[in-house]
Amino acid sequence: MAFKLTDKVSWVGKIDWELRRFHGDEYSTFKGSSYNSYLIRDEKTVLIDTVWTPFADEFVRNLKEEIDLKEIDYIIIQHSEVDHSGALPLLMKEIPDTPIYCTANGAKTLKGHYHEDWNFVEVKTGDTLNIGESTLTFVEARMLHWPDSMMTYMDSEAILFSNDAFGQHYASELMFNDLVDQCELYEEAIKYYANILTPFSALVTNKIKEVLAMELPLNMIATSHGIIWRDNPSQIVLKYLEWADAYQENQITLVYDTMWNATKRMAEAIADGIKSVDNSVKVKLYNAAKTDKNDIITELFRSKGILFGSSTVNKGIMNATGGLLEMIRGLGFKNKKAAAFGSYGWSGESVKIIEEKLKDAKLEVLESGPRILWNPDEEGIKECYEFGRRFAQQFKE
Ligand code: FEO
């Protein structure tokens, strides 16, 4: 169902309440998501983005109830990933000559996805499209988060159509930031940033500064996923600046995988040691095999210190820990101290392997963590506790 954002702009997207996995299995979406598409009616009519492929039929059917498709003068595709361009093939069957405004990379990627030679109009930062009382200005957002990404600013309504930026995987029929639960909203927004945008943080900062320097009035940020920011929309822009700047809270997170709980006991003893030094620090423990990986990544993103533990298995580490370490290598967290720990039965390589992976992820590893043979006894627990104390002490220096 379409609804109006302003007299000129309507939302014509799809709320996907059922979505639980996104990007294959890379991203958990426990609160669903939405694919936000917008219809602008001025002297000219413009469609911004579409929806994910499985909803193409429904999207085109609903759009026809809203407007005669032949009245659409321009389509803007801000990002060619299939969750936004997926309905294009069906739509273009109905209106094959309609120009598609996108970046040069966007045209290449759309051709790569759909193998169609549609009427592409390539735009770059600063290019404009007058549609009557309003002018649309395009702002490329290369690598935020694909090479083709861009945003569109509509002057008459002071709306920034931000595509993936500032979005959240959060299904809500309430649709606006002032109407939804603020804790849920920010939890989904930070999870989205931590898991998707962290590698591009330097670009996020530069792009936001570039847009802020334009001193554009801003009534609304119309994202392509989740709720639309209309109440104090710059709040999420300021949050992004904070998150992009080697973000950390007063939190230390321990992530471990454990066969028979020896490594778990080590984690708990290390946590006790940390708390004994600083009772104000939030200490969180996660069993990597039992916790959603994207939720763990979000907690690591918040942390100033992170500790990884694993039993040794087959001269290596357990796979849930290995998967997470690979994720943090790719995400490129900044400004975090790290260490490894683990139990073993005979060969005992896990601590060394984890340390190498932490260094590979460019984290600061200052001290080799405890390796405990079999199950920690009283002395082993004390060793872990003292290690936790030394780890926490680093933040006091
Ligand atoms: Fe929401 Fe990058 O697609």
Side-chain angles (χ1 to χ4, degrees), residues 22-23 79 81 83-84 145-146 163-164 169 192 224-225:
F22 192 71
H23 283 162
H79 175 31
E81 198 162 5
D83 50 328
H84 308 297
H145 67 125
W146 271 22
N163 195 255
D164 279 338
H169 287 301
Y192 189 95
S224 65
H225 292 294

Side-chain angles (χ1 to χ4, degrees), residues 311-312 343-348 372-374:
S311 329
T312 295
S343 63
Y344 67 104
W346 46 100
S347 60
I372 299 283
L373 180 63
W374 301 120

Side-chain angles (χ1 to χ4, degrees), residues 1 11-16 51-65 87 90:
M1 287 288 288
W11 177 93
V12 290
K14 170 69 187 174
I15 298 178
D16 187 352
V51 299
W52 186 29
T53 322
F55 301 105
D57 280 329
E58 182 182 338
F59 173 75
V60 172
R61 199 167 57 241
N62 288 344
L63 200 56
K64 281 180 180 170
E65 284 178 19
L90 198 59

Side-chain angles (χ1 to χ4, degrees), residues 164-215:
D164 279 338
F166 311 122
Q168 340 81 43
H169 287 301
Y170 182 25
S172 170
E173 83 291 356
L174 299 171
M175 288 309 294
F176 292 106
N177 71 307
D178 49 310
L179 301 182
V180 298
D181 182 291
Q182 298 301 292
C183 292
E184 283 188 353
L185 169 60
Y186 268 98
E187 195 55 37
E188 292 305 323
I190 195 171
K191 177 178 174 180
Y192 189 95
Y193 189 96
N195 282 275
I196 297 176
L197 290 168
T198 301
F200 313 113
S201 287
L203 298 172
V204 169
T205 306
N206 290 342
K207 186 53 60 180
I208 288 176
K209 285 183 178 164
E210 180 190 320
V211 174
L212 289 178
M214 295 177 185
E215 296 186 349

